[in-house]
Coordinates of all heavy atoms in Angstrom, one line a residue:
Chain B
T47 N 12.5 -14.4 -9.2 CA 11.7 -14.3 -8.0 C 11.0 -15.6 -7.6 O 10.6 -16.4 -8.5 CB 10.6 -13.3 -8.3 OG1 11.2 -12.1 -8.8 CG2 9.9 -12.9 -7.0
Q48 N 10.9 -15.9 -6.3 CA 10.3 -17.2 -5.9 C 8.8 -17.1 -6.0 O 8.2 -16.1 -5.6 CB 10.7 -17.5 -4.5 CG 10.3 -18.8 -4.0 CD 10.7 -19.0 -2.6 OE1 10.8 -18.1 -1.8 NE2 10.8 -20.3 -2.3
L49 N 8.2 -18.1 -6.5 CA 6.7 -18.2 -6.5 C 6.3 -19.2 -5.4 O 5.4 -19.0 -4.7 CB 6.1 -18.6 -7.9 CG 6.3 -17.6 -9.0 CD1 5.7 -18.1 -10.3 CD2 5.6 -16.2 -8.6
T50 N 6.9 -20.4 -5.5 CA 6.7 -21.4 -4.4 C 8.1 -22.0 -4.1 O 9.1 -21.6 -4.7 CB 5.8 -22.5 -4.8 OG1 6.5 -23.3 -5.8 CG2 4.5 -22.0 -5.4
D51 N 8.2 -22.9 -3.2 CA 9.4 -23.6 -2.9 C 10.1 -24.1 -4.1 O 11.3 -24.2 -4.2 CB 9.2 -24.7 -1.9 CG 8.9 -24.2 -0.5 OD1 9.2 -23.0 -0.2 OD2 8.3 -25.0 0.3
N52 N 9.3 -24.6 -5.1 CA 9.9 -25.3 -6.2 C 9.7 -24.7 -7.5 O 10.1 -25.2 -8.6 CB 9.3 -26.8 -6.3 CG 7.8 -26.7 -6.3 OD1 7.2 -26.0 -5.5 ND2 7.2 -27.5 -7.1
V53 N 9.1 -23.5 -7.5 CA 8.9 -22.8 -8.8 C 9.4 -21.3 -8.7 O 9.0 -20.6 -7.8 CB 7.4 -22.7 -9.2 CG1 7.2 -22.0 -10.5 CG2 6.8 -24.1 -9.3
Y54 N 10.2 -20.9 -9.7 CA 10.7 -19.5 -9.7 C 10.3 -18.9 -11.0 O 10.0 -19.6 -12.0 CB 12.2 -19.5 -9.5 CG 12.7 -19.6 -8.1 CD1 12.5 -20.8 -7.4 CD2 13.4 -18.6 -7.5 CE1 12.9 -20.9 -6.1 CE2 13.8 -18.7 -6.2 CZ 13.5 -19.9 -5.4 OH 14.0 -20.0 -4.1
V55 N 10.3 -17.6 -11.1 CA 10.0 -16.9 -12.3 C 11.1 -15.8 -12.6 O 11.6 -15.2 -11.7 CB 8.6 -16.2 -12.3 CG1 8.5 -15.2 -11.2 CG2 8.2 -15.7 -13.6
C56 N 11.5 -15.8 -13.9 CA 12.4 -14.7 -14.3 C 11.6 -13.6 -14.9 O 10.7 -13.8 -15.7 CB 13.3 -15.2 -15.5 SG 14.4 -16.5 -15.0
R57 N 11.8 -12.3 -14.4 CA 11.0 -11.2 -14.8 C 11.8 -10.3 -15.8 O 13.0 -10.1 -15.6 CB 10.7 -10.4 -13.6 CG 10.0 -11.1 -12.5 CD 9.6 -10.3 -11.3 NE 10.8 -9.9 -10.5 CZ 11.3 -8.7 -10.4 NH1 10.7 -7.7 -11.0 NH2 12.4 -8.5 -9.6
S58 N 11.0 -9.8 -16.8 CA 11.6 -8.8 -17.7 C 10.6 -7.8 -18.1 O 9.4 -8.0 -17.8 CB 12.2 -9.5 -19.0 OG 11.1 -9.8 -19.8
G59 N 11.0 -6.7 -18.7 CA 10.0 -5.6 -19.0 C 9.8 -4.6 -17.9 O 10.8 -4.3 -17.3
S60 N 8.6 -4.2 -17.7 CA 8.4 -3.1 -16.7 C 8.6 -3.7 -15.3 O 8.0 -4.8 -15.0 CB 7.0 -2.6 -16.8 OG 6.5 -2.1 -15.6
A61 N 9.4 -3.1 -14.5 CA 9.7 -3.6 -13.2 C 8.5 -3.7 -12.3 O 8.2 -4.7 -11.6 CB 10.8 -2.7 -12.5
A62 N 7.7 -2.6 -12.4 CA 6.5 -2.5 -11.5 C 5.5 -3.6 -11.9 O 5.0 -4.4 -11.0 CB 5.8 -1.2 -11.6
D63 N 5.2 -3.7 -13.2 CA 4.2 -4.7 -13.7 C 4.7 -6.2 -13.3 O 3.9 -7.0 -12.8 CB 4.1 -4.7 -15.2 CG 3.4 -3.4 -15.6 OD1 2.8 -2.7 -14.8 OD2 3.4 -3.1 -16.9
S64 N 6.0 -6.5 -13.5 CA 6.4 -7.8 -13.2 C 6.4 -8.1 -11.8 O 6.1 -9.2 -11.3 CB 7.8 -8.1 -13.9 OG 8.7 -7.3 -13.3
Q65 N 6.7 -7.1 -10.9 CA 6.7 -7.4 -9.5 C 5.3 -7.6 -9.0 O 5.0 -8.5 -8.2 CB 7.3 -6.2 -8.7 CG 8.8 -6.1 -8.8 CD 9.4 -4.9 -8.0 OE1 8.7 -4.2 -7.3 NE2 10.6 -4.7 -8.1
I66 N 4.4 -6.8 -9.5 CA 3.0 -7.0 -9.0 C 2.4 -8.3 -9.5 O 1.7 -9.0 -8.7 CB 2.1 -5.8 -9.6 CG1 2.5 -4.5 -8.9 CG2 0.6 -6.1 -9.4 CD1 2.0 -4.4 -7.5
V67 N 2.7 -8.7 -10.8 CA 2.2 -10.0 -11.3 C 2.7 -11.1 -10.4 O 2.0 -12.0 -10.0 CB 2.6 -10.2 -12.7 CG1 2.3 -11.6 -13.2 CG2 1.7 -9.3 -13.6
S68 N 4.1 -11.1 -10.1 CA 4.6 -12.2 -9.3 C 4.0 -12.2 -7.9 O 3.8 -13.2 -7.3 CB 6.1 -12.3 -9.3 OG 6.7 -11.0 -9.4
D69 N 3.8 -11.0 -7.3 CA 3.1 -10.9 -6.0 C 1.8 -11.6 -6.0 O 1.5 -12.4 -5.1 CB 3.0 -9.5 -5.5 CG 4.3 -8.9 -5.1 OD1 5.3 -9.6 -4.9 OD2 4.3 -7.6 -4.9
Y70 N 0.9 -11.3 -7.0 CA -0.4 -11.9 -7.1 C -0.3 -13.4 -7.3 O -1.0 -14.1 -6.6 CB -1.2 -11.3 -8.2 CG -2.0 -10.0 -7.9 CD1 -1.6 -8.8 -8.5 CD2 -3.0 -10.1 -7.0 CE1 -2.4 -7.6 -8.1 CE2 -3.7 -8.9 -6.7 CZ -3.4 -7.7 -7.3 OH -4.1 -6.6 -6.9
V71 N 0.6 -13.8 -8.2 CA 0.6 -15.3 -8.5 C 1.2 -16.0 -7.2 O 0.7 -17.1 -6.9 CB 1.5 -15.5 -9.7 CG1 1.7 -17.0 -9.9 CG2 0.9 -14.9 -10.9
R72 N 2.1 -15.4 -6.5 CA 2.6 -16.1 -5.3 C 1.5 -16.2 -4.3 O 1.3 -17.3 -3.7 CB 3.7 -15.2 -4.7 CG 4.5 -16.0 -3.6 CD 5.6 -15.1 -3.0 NE 6.4 -14.4 -4.0 CZ 6.6 -13.1 -4.0 NH1 6.1 -12.4 -3.1 NH2 7.4 -12.6 -4.9
Y73 N 0.6 -15.2 -4.2 CA -0.5 -15.3 -3.3 C -1.5 -16.4 -3.7 O -1.9 -17.2 -2.9 CB -1.1 -13.9 -3.2 CG -2.5 -13.8 -2.7 CD1 -2.8 -14.1 -1.4 CD2 -3.6 -13.3 -3.5 CE1 -4.1 -14.0 -0.8 CE2 -4.8 -13.2 -3.0 CZ -5.1 -13.5 -1.6 OH -6.3 -13.4 -1.1
F74 N -1.8 -16.4 -5.0 CA -2.8 -17.4 -5.5 C -2.2 -18.8 -5.3 O -2.9 -19.8 -4.9 CB -3.1 -17.2 -7.0 CG -3.9 -16.0 -7.3 CD1 -3.6 -15.2 -8.4 CD2 -4.9 -15.5 -6.4 CE1 -4.3 -14.0 -8.7 CE2 -5.6 -14.4 -6.7 CZ -5.3 -13.6 -7.8
L75 N -0.9 -19.0 -5.6 CA -0.3 -20.3 -5.5 C -0.2 -20.8 -4.0 O -0.4 -21.9 -3.7 CB 1.2 -20.3 -6.0 CG 1.3 -20.5 -7.5 CD1 2.7 -20.3 -7.9 CD2 0.8 -21.8 -7.9
H76 N -0.1 -19.8 -3.1 CA -0.1 -20.2 -1.7 C -1.4 -20.7 -1.3 O -1.5 -21.8 -0.7 CB 0.3 -18.9 -0.9 CG 0.5 -19.2 0.6 ND1 0.1 -18.3 1.5 CD2 1.0 -20.2 1.2 CE1 0.4 -18.8 2.7 NE2 0.9 -20.0 2.6
Q77 N -2.5 -20.0 -1.8 CA -3.8 -20.5 -1.5 C -4.0 -21.9 -2.1 O -4.6 -22.8 -1.5 CB -4.9 -19.6 -2.0 CG -5.0 -18.3 -1.2 CD -6.2 -17.5 -1.8 OE1 -6.5 -17.5 -3.0 NE2 -6.9 -16.9 -0.9
H78 N -3.6 -22.0 -3.4 CA -3.8 -23.3 -4.1 C -3.1 -24.4 -3.4 O -3.6 -25.5 -3.3 CB -3.2 -23.1 -5.5 CG -3.2 -24.3 -6.4 ND1 -4.3 -24.9 -6.8 CD2 -2.1 -25.0 -6.8 CE1 -3.9 -26.0 -7.5 NE2 -2.6 -26.1 -7.5
T79 N -1.8 -24.2 -2.9 CA -1.1 -25.2 -2.2 C -1.8 -25.7 -1.0 O -1.9 -26.9 -0.7 CB 0.3 -24.7 -1.8 OG1 0.9 -24.1 -3.0 CG2 1.2 -25.8 -1.3
I80 N -2.4 -24.7 -0.2 CA -3.1 -25.1 1.0 C -4.3 -25.9 0.6 O -4.6 -27.0 1.2 CB -3.6 -23.8 1.7 CG1 -2.3 -23.1 2.3 CG2 -4.5 -24.2 2.8 CD1 -2.6 -21.7 2.8
Q81 N -5.0 -25.5 -0.4 CA -6.2 -26.2 -0.8 C -5.9 -27.6 -1.4 O -6.7 -28.6 -1.2 CB -7.0 -25.4 -1.9 CG -7.7 -24.2 -1.2 CD -8.2 -23.2 -2.3 OE1 -7.9 -23.4 -3.5 NE2 -8.9 -22.2 -1.8
L82 N -4.8 -27.7 -2.1 CA -4.5 -29.0 -2.8 C -3.9 -29.9 -1.8 O -4.0 -31.2 -1.9 CB -3.4 -28.7 -3.9 CG -3.2 -29.7 -4.9 CD1 -4.4 -30.0 -5.7 CD2 -2.0 -29.3 -5.8
G83 N -3.1 -29.4 -0.8 CA -2.5 -30.3 0.2 C -1.1 -30.8 -0.2 O -0.5 -31.5 0.5
Q84 N -0.6 -30.3 -1.4 CA 0.7 -30.7 -1.8 C 1.3 -29.6 -2.6 O 0.6 -28.7 -3.1 CB 0.7 -32.0 -2.5 CG -0.1 -32.1 -3.7 CD -0.1 -33.5 -4.4 OE1 0.5 -34.4 -3.9 NE2 -0.8 -33.6 -5.5

Side-chain angles (χ1 to χ4, degrees):
Chain B
T47 311
Q48 185 182 29
L49 294 178
T50 69
D51 288 339
N52 53 318
V53 180
Y54 279 66
V55 63
C56 296
R57 305 179 287 111
S58 76
S60 156
D63 291 349
S64 63
Q65 282 181 9
I66 290 285
V67 166
S68 32
D69 283 349
Y70 272 115
V71 174
R72 194 180 312 123
Y73 163 63
F74 293 140
L75 275 176
H76 186 215
Q77 285 187 324
H78 172 71
T79 307
I80 291 170
Q81 290 167 353
L82 193 65
Q84 58 183 2

